[in-house]
Structures are given as C-alpha cells and as structure tokens.
Amino acid sequence: MPNPWTGKGNPYTREEVRERLRNTVNQKKAIIAAGAGTGISAKFIEKGGADLIIIYNSGRFRMSGHGSTAGLMAYGDANAVAMEIGEFEVLPVVEEVPVICGVHGSDPRRRMWHHLLKVKEMGFSGINNFPTHSIVDGHFRAVLEETGMGFQKEVEMVAIASKMDLFSIVYVATAEEARQMAEAGADAIIAHVGTTVGGSIGVVNASCTMDDAIARTQQIMDVAQGVNPDIFFLAHGGPVNTPEDVAEILSKTSVHGFVGASSLERMGVEQSLTDLTKRFKELTLK
C-alpha cells in the first residue's frame, strides 16, 4: 500500500512485508531479494520484479570494482555507508518494493536501539545483519566473540528490531545461528554458504559443492522451523549463482527463494557493459 506521506510504497510495517512475501509464496513463485549498491541498480532491480531490495556497505565496494568481502574490513563505517546509500541513492528512486537496510549489529560505537530508530525514521522497511560475523571463522572469529563483538550482538539487534516492528532478514552460516535468530524473532533467514563464485572479482572456487550447499541449507531450515514454522527461508552464496543454480536448490530443498547480490547486481553489469561496448567498437567509419 502507498505511504500516505510520499505516495510511494516505503516504508512498510513488518506485517505488511510479511504479507507481501506470503502472497508470493502462495502463488508458487520464488521470493527474490536483491542487493543494490547504487540507485540505478535499485531502480532497475525493481523493474525486474524483485520482492525486496537490500542495501549495505558491500554494495558500494562491489559497484566500485572491489570484492564484496571489503565490506567486512575496516575500510569505512558500514552503518554510515548503508544509511547514506539509502537516503541519497536508493530510497528516492524505489517506487514500491520494500527496502531493507544492512546494519552492522556488533558496532561498539552504536547504541543499537538508537541506530534502529534512525533506520526506521529514514524510511527503511526492515533490517539485515550485514556486515555479519556469521561468515567469519577460525581464530579471528574466536577473538571477536571473546571481546564482545560476536554474532550474539547481531542476534540482540534482531530482537530489538522485532520490538520496533521492523522486518528482519538475516544471514546465518550454521544451524545453531539459525536457531538463535529464530528465537530472537527473525522473519526471514538466509542460509549463507560462502562467497559467491564467478565474475571478475568473485572467488574462483566455491567454499562447498552444490550438494553440500543443499544439505547445509536444508539443515539450517529444519532447525529454525522447529522454533518458528512461519519463517521465510532463502538461499545465498557459494555455488548458488545463476538462475539455473537457484532452480536446482529450490527443487532439492524447501527454501522459499534466493538472495542475490553479486549474482544479480555485479554479474548483470559486468557482462552487459562488456558486450555493449564491444558492439560499439565493432562500428566502422564510412
């Protein structure tokens, strides 16, 4: 429904976003959530029919020609970048699709309840936990957890968002993380199975095979559904890249859809710009 103040769709309440996604699933259509790092990406992702648009700091790095993993590094203020992209690029051009803000939940400089109030006031319809420490492992992950900057902060952020009537769609890498997010009230859970393969700045080798991705995704779903059967589930990352890959994981798990960031925004730009430029260069003079 249009926002009475702007005439546009955003922002939506938590239940309004959920109802839109339920309608998609009831029509036997896959939910497609797309990451956008620029206003023009968001504008044409919406024209393509995406159900959700998610913005976070990695989108800016991605569309600047750098690997999305840069968003996990100390190359800028992730929360400030997401808010900036939203205010000046994406929210002004998106007409109707709910826009979700990436929030770095473990940022020790933010009073999270206060930051989420700003997110809601800006006109976002929900939040996503990115950058996320769920995809960090090994010794560094242990240090983050021990020093109060671990995944639990992201879980706490989702619990606060739920109290504020903000829709939440969250990344998890394990079944245990899925359980925690489900208990915190997450509306949608994304099974993150690794950095997306392919393209000019993606990884060459997937962190797991398609069979592994299918098994991990289903395991994450099974655990979270045991907590709340009304959660929406989406696949992301690793070998799940093309529409054909997504079709395979949809057919072999019970996920409701797919989250595409590099696989939608970056891949679409890389090949189309290359091909179009080549066509111009094929022109000859009289």
Side-chain angles (χ1 to χ4, degrees):
M1 61 184 296
N3 182 325
W5 300 107
T6 66
K8 296 186 176 184
N10 285 288
Y12 292 95
T13 67
R14 181 184 185 188
E15 184 51 37
E16 285 170 344
V17 178
R18 290 184 58 85
E19 183 61 28
R20 289 171 65 95
L21 299 185
R22 275 195 294 266
N23 289 340
T24 298
V25 172
N26 289 342
Q27 295 171 42
K28 302 298 183 183
K29 295 180 180 178
I31 295 169
I32 302 299
T38 66
I40 194 148
S41 295
K43 189 171 188 175
F44 288 93
I45 284 169
E46 179 174 37
K47 285 184 178 295
D51 297 286
L52 299 173
I53 293 174
I54 308 174
I55 64 174
Y56 38 76
N57 68 327
S58 271
R60 174 161 290 175
F61 287 111
R62 179 169 60 241
M63 298 311 286
S64 297
H66 310 299
S68 296
T69 306
L72 294 170
M73 305 300 289
Y75 300 149
D77 184 336
N79 282 318
V81 168
M83 294 288 276
E84 181 180 297
I85 296 172
E87 182 173 14
F88 298 115
E89 296 190 50
V90 173
L91 287 168
V93 300
V94 172
E95 295 289 338
E96 199 266 341
V97 175
V99 180
I100 309 300
C101 184
V103 178
H104 195 185
S106 62
D107 185 343
R109 303 164 302 169
R110 294 312 200 278
R111 292 169 296 161
M112 194 47 59
W113 63 269
H114 184 246
H115 181 65
L116 293 185
L117 284 174
K118 292 181 181 179
V119 168
K120 188 169 185 177
E121 182 183 44
M122 183 76 70
F124 289 101
S125 297
I127 55 98
N128 167 246
N129 63 327
F130 196 91
T132 175
H133 294 172
S134 69
I135 55 176
V136 179
D137 56 16
H139 177 69
F140 184 46
R141 173 67 178 272
V143 171
L144 290 170
E145 298 290 343
E146 289 177 16
T147 54
M149 291 175 282
F151 183 74
Q152 187 58 37
K153 290 292 185 181
E154 299 173 35
V155 175
E156 292 170 6
M157 181 260 292
V158 169
I160 296 170
S162 297
K163 293 179 181 179
M164 291 183 176
D165 195 37
L166 279 165
F167 177 85
S168 57
I169 176 169
V170 299
Y171 287 112
V172 303
T174 68
E176 172 57 23
E177 291 169 352
R179 182 191 62 76
Q180 293 177 41
M181 282 298 192
E183 290 177 348
D187 296 290
I189 288 179
I190 310 162
H192 197 306
V193 296
T195 304
T196 303
V197 299
S200 64
I201 52 177
V203 296
V204 176
N205 298 310
S207 56
C208 63
T209 66
M210 181 60 82
D211 287 343
D212 290 336
I214 290 168
R216 285 174 56 187
T217 299
Q218 189 62 54
Q219 182 186 35
I220 284 169
M221 285 192 61
D222 291 343
V223 170
Q225 279 186 321
V227 177
N228 179 5
D230 294 327
I231 293 175
F232 299 98
F233 292 94
L234 299 100
H236 175 80
V240 188
N241 184 7
T242 66
E244 293 74 24
D245 297 330
V246 177
E248 181 176 356
I249 204 162
L250 288 173
S251 70
K252 295 180 179 178
T253 69
S254 42
V255 293
H256 302 112
F258 171 69
V259 174
S262 292
S263 51
L264 264 166
E265 184 179 39
R266 175 170 62 82
M267 301 299 189
V269 170
E270 286 184 9
Q271 196 56 49
S272 61
L273 283 181
T274 300
D275 292 345
L276 184 58
T277 305
K278 286 180 178 178
R279 286 173 56 198
F280 275 110
K281 282 299 295 177
E282 288 170 358
L283 300 174
T284 58
L285 300 179
K286 183 177 178 181

